[in-house]
Amino acid sequence: MTRPAIWAGGVLLLGLGSGCASVEPRASFDRAVSGAGDRLSATPQWVRDDAGREAVRAEIRTLLAEPLTAERAVAVAFLANPELQATFERLGMAQAEVAQASRLANPSLEISRLSPEGSAGGHLTTIGFELPLLDALLVPLRTRMAELEQAHVELEVGSALVELAAEVRVAVYQLQGAEALAARLADVERVEKAGYDFARSLFSAGNLAQLEVTLAEATWAEARVALAEARREVRHAREQVHRLLGLWGEDTAWTVAPGPPPLPATEIALEGLERRAIEHRLDLAAGRSALDALGRALALRKKLRFTPIDLDLGIETERELDGLRLTGPTLALRLPLFDTGKAEIAVLEAETKALGWQLEALAVAIRSEVREKRDDLVAARDLARFTTGTLLPLRRQALDGTLRLYNMMLGGTPDVLAEKAREIEAERRAVEALRDYWIARAELERAVGGRLVSPAKEMSP
């Protein structure tokens, strides 16, 4: 075998050996889920075929058969949310990019057959075979860059899982609060109707003026309006859960667990949250990964600035008119004489600096968001404790005292109805305070970048 043939064969073997990376993204998906770690309270599944879809549908129906809690809803969303499934497909694209980067560019084959003008016989035949040598030498570097981009996508997928879980928890807490509030307002409406009926009976007996009856009816009408608005909010909150969970058709006939849940016996630790957020936020980690990849690309471009842009090694054989065959190696170079890559390097430098500033801005925003959400949680917790531990018990005591006076004929029915309405109003405020507490807690966990307690040790709100 001639030396040129050996050279070309070696480059060909290099290209064949470099194309061993698989396009199967399952390992990338597992890394993305594992990277999210204890930030997740449920295990997502990637639906990639009809059999997987059917298995997921069966699991979703099992989850929906029981009243939805926040964590059960997260589990459903991790199975059924179509936008999340679309995000998973980015892992497939990233894995395909890694596989593509590991492959050598296709060789080129040129054949020419020339006949002398005016001649009846004889042909000049040329056959050339070229392999992209520079491309082969850059395969490891190109593959490494694609792997860095893949790691970046995996972090972004993990961040999307954390964000979706937080949105689902908030939506479920809002629905629980809306349903509980509507139930309280239904009680208010019944009390106000009873007050109006009692006022009419007094008016019929000649013991009450028409104005008092009108005022009682107006109060009842306001209660009905408030109840209608609350029921509308329930429908809106339920549809928000449908959108986040990806449910439609028969799967929308689920019920939500009564709530909001009571305050937990022990509060989550609120120390060192800013530091933890900087360490745990996957979107910030994804930004760092992108900055690292961009820095490597810049360094590589600077190193290769004055190297040939293209370097092709090949073999050419030519058969002359007299039958003589000429064979030898060929080398084609595209030299960086006019475009030395200066502009491209300047673009990469500017992109690197811009991304660095963006990451600094994101870190500042994260710290501020954590402080804000921490303060919201403290305020919501204090208000929930006051409404459930002080305001509501006092209103119940007041109602109990009013009923005792009524039983001793020292108070009237209007007094009892008015005090009952005040007690229901206190219950409404307690429901809203508990709802706001759990929403604030979910928002703080999202800001920090993961769960603040182990799911195994936490209640199932």
Side-chain angles (χ1 to χ4, degrees), residues 99-435:
Q100 181 64 39
S102 69
R103 285 162 170 77
L104 188 65
N106 291 324
S108 61
L109 177 65
E110 295 183 3
I111 302 176
S112 64
R113 183 179 176 88
L114 305 176
S115 301
E117 189 173 345
S119 174
H123 300 281
L124 176 63
T125 303
T126 302
I127 301 176
F129 181 81
E130 288 185 341
L131 289 170
L133 179 60
L134 182 61
D135 184 82
L137 297 175
L138 293 178
V139 163
L141 292 173
R142 193 170 60 235
T143 303
R144 177 56 181 159
M145 296 301 298
E147 289 172 345
L148 288 173
E149 176 59 26
Q150 182 184 42
H152 171 71
V153 172
E154 289 169 3
L155 288 171
E156 288 189 328
V157 169
S159 179
L161 287 168
V162 174
E163 288 288 328
L164 177 60
E167 290 180 7
V168 169
R169 292 187 187 101
V170 170
V172 171
Y173 295 147
Q174 287 176 336
L175 175 59
Q176 289 177 322
E179 287 198 348
L181 180 58
R184 299 302 184 275
L185 290 176
D187 293 337
V188 171
E189 188 272 336
R190 285 191 292 271
V191 169
E192 298 300 345
K193 182 179 184 303
Y196 167 64
D197 292 339
F198 183 69
R200 281 200 310 168
S201 64
L202 291 179
F203 175 76
S204 300
N207 295 325
L208 197 67
Q210 177 62 49
L211 177 60
E212 297 297 328
V213 176
T214 302
L215 291 175
E217 185 175 9
T219 302
W220 177 36
E222 290 175 349
R224 283 184 288 173
V225 170
L227 178 58
E229 292 175 344
R231 287 172 174 169
R232 180 186 62 190
E233 289 301 317
V234 170
R235 292 191 293 272
H236 287 179
R238 189 176 179 87
E239 290 305 324
Q240 176 65 11
V241 174
H242 286 157
R243 287 190 289 271
L244 290 173
L245 270 57
L247 301 179
W248 59 281
E250 296 180 355
D251 289 339
T252 60
W254 48 269
T255 59
V256 68
L263 289 175
T266 57
E267 188 51 81
I268 54 180
L270 299 180
E271 295 79 18
L273 292 182
E274 290 183 47
R275 175 184 54 79
R276 180 169 179 176
I278 297 301
E279 294 174 352
H280 283 70
R281 281 281 290 257
L282 291 177
D283 55 347
L284 188 59
R288 294 193 189 105
S289 174
L291 182 61
D292 179 48
L294 196 57
R296 290 173 182 263
L298 175 59
L300 178 61
R301 189 64 186 92
K302 286 181 177 180
K303 289 180 180 179
L304 301 177
R305 178 178 178 181
F306 296 108
T307 59
I309 299 175
D310 284 326
L311 177 60
D312 296 333
L313 176 66
I315 295 177
E316 184 173 311
T317 180
E318 181 177 305
R319 183 177 181 182
E320 301 291 341
L321 295 176
D322 57 4
L324 179 65
R325 180 177 297 276
L326 303 176
T327 302
T330 63
L331 185 65
L333 294 87
R334 185 160 25 136
L335 302 176
L337 298 180
F338 305 111
D339 181 7
T340 60
K342 185 176 181 180
E344 184 179 353
I345 290 174
V347 170
L348 288 173
E349 288 177 340
E351 289 179 349
T352 301
K353 291 178 180 179
L355 184 54
W357 285 113
Q358 290 171 359
L359 283 177
E360 184 174 339
L362 178 58
V364 170
I366 286 174
R367 291 180 180 274
S368 175
E369 183 181 13
V370 168
R371 293 193 299 270
E372 179 184 7
K373 299 305 180 182
R374 179 197 60 201
D375 293 343
D376 287 346
L377 178 64
V378 171
R381 180 188 60 196
D382 292 343
L383 182 59
R385 284 178 175 173
F386 179 78
T387 54
T388 58
T390 302
L391 176 61
L392 187 55
L394 286 175
R395 279 301 176 194
R396 287 171 176 169
Q397 291 176 16
L399 177 60
D400 184 64
T402 303
L403 286 172
R404 285 200 300 268
L405 291 176
Y406 177 79
N407 292 333
M408 292 185 293
M409 303 184 66
L410 297 177
T413 302
D415 298 326
V416 174
L417 293 174
E419 200 56 50
K420 179 61 178 177
R422 294 188 186 98
E423 184 218 18
I424 294 175
E425 175 65 17
E427 289 183 352
R428 182 184 68 81
R429 291 184 178 180
V431 167
E432 291 177 338
L434 286 172
R435 175 203 63 193

